Amino acid sequence: MSLENLKKAIRDIPDFPKKGIIFKDITPLIGAGKLFREAIDLMAKPYLARPPAKVVCIDARGFIFGAALALKLGAGVIPVRKAGKLPHKTHRADFDLEYGSATVEIHEDGVLPGDRVLIVDDLLATGGTLRAAIDLVRRSGGEIIGVCVAIELDFLKGREKIEGTSIHSLIHY
Ligand code: AMP
């Protein structure tokens, strides 16, 4: 199994959800058991020796990768959700997206001060979403050991927005 096989299982959907955006559809990848396991194994690799206490994952496709990674690493799952979805007290962060803008929240007691945290999403585009997640984890007092994504759109230079945080991404465009 190779990264090329994983890349082949990511489908381009032009002009979704807006004209000019090429949406990277991961459903063929996660729908194939062997490919999904390979992706999770490769995403988890750098963190096996010293796993995080918590995996913070981002609404909604980040939950799929984040929960599987957390299980493999023996970590808890802490969701970052779109505004208004979490029932308890939250920290909030506003940010701009590749297509639109959004507000995300994390439960105040999800990440505890000093927790080693890995932040997971499906895709790094402009970096706004991960920047917001990093800010939320910092506000909670967590120690961020890294950011892990399945896909990175290199041409959008999202990494620059989250400079100083170590980033592990499997597939680049
Ligand atoms: P950004 O904040 O610009 O880095 O956008 C990252 C978030 O938006 C991730 O949660 C992705 O799921 C989603 N996203 C942004 N651009 C794309 C794209 N071209 N294809 C699929 N998902 C995307």
Side-chain angles (χ1 to χ4, degrees):
M1 194 82 66
S2 70
L3 284 175
E4 259 328 290
N5 287 331
L6 295 180
K7 201 167 188 174
K8 275 189 212 148
I10 293 162
R11 179 163 57 192
D12 280 359
I13 310 282
D15 298 324
F16 181 89
K18 279 190 181 164
K19 202 158 176 53
I21 301 288
I22 298 174
F23 189 85
K24 298 293 178 192
D25 178 16
I26 52 142
T27 61
L29 188 158
I30 62 172
K34 278 188 186 158
L35 292 179
F36 184 44
R37 184 160 60 193
E38 178 71 6
I40 295 301
D41 286 347
L42 291 172
M43 287 171 83
K45 215 169 175 183
Y47 314 106
L48 290 171
R50 248 193 113 204
K54 307 271 169 69
V55 168
V56 165
C57 47
I58 301 170
D59 203 345
R61 288 178 297 277
F63 294 165
I64 297 165
F65 292 98
L69 269 172
L71 205 59
K72 190 169 174 76
L73 295 170
V77 176
I78 309 296
V80 166
R81 298 211 62 187
K82 286 160 193 151
K85 299 283 186 188
L86 287 171
H88 195 52
K89 285 186 193 161
T90 62
H91 297 300
R92 291 167 72 100
D94 302 313
F95 65 101
D96 292 324
L97 277 169
E98 191 186 2
Y99 41 83
S101 67
T103 302
V104 284
E105 295 182 300
I106 194 169
H107 271 153
E108 280 181 8
D109 60 358
V111 169
L112 303 176
D115 273 350
R116 285 164 47 78
V117 172
L118 176 65
I119 301 178
V120 176
D121 203 357
D122 63 328
L123 182 144
L124 168 59
T126 65
T129 309
L130 283 164
R131 175 75 262 160
I134 288 169
D135 293 345
L136 290 175
V137 171
R138 293 223 171 110
R139 252 190 273 165
S140 305
E143 180 205 336
I144 298 165
I145 64 162
V147 160
C148 181
V149 291
I151 303 167
E152 179 171 355
L153 304 183
D154 297 346
F155 54 93
L156 291 174
K157 300 191 166 68
R159 297 192 154 240
E160 290 175 5
K161 219 177 255 174
I162 54 175
E163 228 168 17
T165 306
S166 128
I167 304 166
H168 175 44
S169 38
L170 292 188
I171 297 160
H172 295 260
Y173 291 92

